Amino acid sequence: MAYRSVFDLGAVRSEFEKAGISSRFIAPIWKYVLQNPNVDIDFDEVTSLPSAAYSLLRSKFRSSTSTLDSVFESEDNVTSKLLIRLQDGAFVEAVVMRYDTRLGRYAGKPRPGGPRSTLCISSQVGCKMGCKFCATGSMGFKRNLSSGEIVEQLVYASRISHIRNVVFMGMGEPLNNYAALVEAVQIMTGFPFQLSPKRITISTVGIIHALNKLQNDLPNVNLAISLHAPVQDIRCQIMPAARAFPLEKLMDTLLVYQRNSKQKIFIEYIMLDGVNDEEQQAHQLGKLLQTLEVVVNLIPFNPIGITNQFRTSNEQNVQRFQSVLRGFYGIRTTIRKQMGQDINGACGQLVVNIPHKGSVRSADLITDIEDLHI
């Protein structure tokens, strides 16, 4: 019998309602699980629940349906990659990135703050998008994660480091698992996790029909668009799924999203030598984005071990690209700091083919949720 995670809010609430149990008892159960990091908690140990709740929980739910199989640490001890085994035997990975904001600079001055940790989280096993620069696409799509399986990644990460930010930039296209994504974020922003929505970022290739409802369902979360090209033909070459989401329609959708949300939008742009990194393409990108309030995050391409099709842009081209966007178009543009390459934990590297042999597509280092440069 397959059990459900106690963090599958919809399932728990439904079973409680059928048994006449108030949903107000769910949050205390979650709090107990967080405070008692045993692999399998005996629900009888949770005090002050209605008597009917105990047998129901024992028969249908587990405090965790997944297990933390392995943790890999980078040589500099700032990146941890978590290999998580799901109850059906599939694996996903998540990445914890630690950063001291005082080491970064903004407007020529050291950033305020101190140590913080960001969790890069997965929403699917595999991915349908097939982006050619991302190892996850080589897996194909296996299945969606439940909201509980998504939240369990945060539970495991919280035992390693105090998590301040969550970025949905791991395995999968979050908006293709929309219901579970929404429920997972609602859990994370409620008791007992209590993450600020402004510290959560959802990255997407631009699923237009889902973007049209995201702002209403998850107000105040950050939106990051995996754009990666300034024109439709190049975008389709490196991101086959982009054929379903023409740039003109995507830009129109983002204008409406921003008008309603009043929030800046983050643009992710992987730098591929000779593909999308020319000065002319920087100007094309600047013109494409000039009607939006955005932050562009330039991402060095990381080797993914399955193809030699791409090379990362050299530092001179990246700096020139940044200078064009800043100087000609006044667009705030950052260059993502690379982290976790030695444990295959950098951007674009997440793929799980063989147990214990996985690598991860993480967000590298997002130094601050405000500019997606952890």
Side-chain angles (χ1 to χ4, degrees), residues 34-286:
L34 291 180
Q35 292 176 337
N36 297 272
N38 299 316
V39 174
D40 193 12
I41 286 176
D42 183 352
F43 289 116
D44 288 345
E45 298 171 357
V46 185
T47 59
S48 303
L49 298 181
S51 57
Y54 293 104
S55 59
L56 190 157
L57 290 168
R58 284 194 303 268
S59 65
K60 297 189 176 183
F61 296 95
R62 289 291 180 267
S63 59
S64 178
T65 57
S66 61
T67 56
L68 181 57
D69 185 272
S70 308
V71 178
F72 303 92
E73 300 289 348
S74 62
E75 290 183 2
D76 56 12
N77 290 317
V78 298
T79 306
S80 302
K81 183 179 71 173
L82 285 60
L83 179 64
I84 298 169
R85 183 186 180 104
L86 309 176
Q87 67 174 329
D88 63 358
F91 286 82
V92 293
E93 292 181 304
V95 178
V96 176
M97 298 161 284
R98 295 173 287 276
Y99 185 76
D100 190 333
T101 58
R102 294 168 295 188
L103 300 177
R105 301 185 71 82
Y106 179 61
K109 300 179 181 179
R111 289 181 179 273
R116 62 183 60 173
S117 294
T118 294
L119 171 64
C120 176
I121 206 165
S122 293
S123 56
Q124 297 177 314
V125 182
C127 185
K128 294 179 180 179
M129 298 297 99
C131 298
K132 295 182 179 180
F133 49 81
C134 177
T136 307
S138 69
M139 293 176 60
F141 173 72
K142 308 300 182 184
R143 70 171 177 88
N144 287 323
L145 298 184
S146 71
S147 59
E149 290 171 325
I150 295 172
V151 174
E152 285 175 16
Q153 296 172 65
L154 175 58
V155 174
Y156 292 128
S158 298
R159 296 169 186 169
I160 293 174
S161 184
H162 176 69
I163 301 300
R164 180 178 182 268
N165 303 324
V166 170
V167 292
F168 282 83
M169 297 181 182
M171 295 171 65
E173 163 54 57
L175 296 192
N176 270 350
N177 189 14
Y178 191 84
L181 166 73
V182 170
E183 186 167 278
V185 172
Q186 290 171 343
I187 294 169
M188 293 175 184
T189 55
F191 183 85
F193 295 99
Q194 294 181 306
L195 292 176
S196 168
K198 296 180 180 179
R199 300 297 180 189
I200 296 176
T201 300
I202 296 169
S203 175
T204 174
V205 301
I207 312 295
I208 291 174
H209 65 273
L211 286 172
N212 287 332
K213 55 184 178 178
L214 181 66
Q215 198 276 323
N216 286 329
D217 291 337
L218 293 176
N220 300 318
V221 300
N222 296 294
L223 175 64
I225 299 296
S226 293
L227 194 64
H228 305 309
V231 293
Q232 181 70 3
D233 60 342
I234 297 176
R235 196 165 190 252
C236 291
Q237 290 172 23
I238 62 177
M239 304 171 65
R243 293 184 181 91
F245 313 109
L247 267 180
E248 183 178 354
K249 289 185 178 180
L250 178 57
M251 291 301 109
D252 289 343
T253 300
L254 295 180
L255 278 170
V256 174
Y257 182 95
Q258 188 159 77
R259 189 181 306 125
N260 293 332
S261 69
K262 306 295 190 294
Q263 293 174 275
K264 68 184 70 173
I265 295 171
F266 301 99
I267 302 296
E268 299 167 297
Y269 195 98
I270 194 163
M271 298 297 291
L272 302 173
D273 182 47
V275 177
N276 64 353
D277 67 340
E278 301 296 330
E279 185 172 351
Q280 174 189 0
Q281 291 160 333
H283 283 288
Q284 289 173 327
L285 182 63

Side-chain angles (χ1 to χ4, degrees), residues 76 300-303 312 335-341 346 364-365:
D76 56 12
F301 170 69
N302 295 295
T312 191
I335 299 172
R336 186 172 294 184
K337 180 178 178 180
Q338 293 175 283
M339 296 180 65
Q341 273 195 342
D364 280 324
L365 179 65

Side-chain angles (χ1 to χ4, degrees), residues 317-336:
N317 282 359
V318 176
Q319 295 286 351
R320 182 181 62 192
F321 206 97
Q322 181 187 47
S323 296
V324 168
L325 292 175
R326 285 178 168 178
F328 285 87
Y329 302 97
I331 295 175
R332 186 176 172 188
T333 306
T334 62
I335 299 172
R336 186 172 294 184

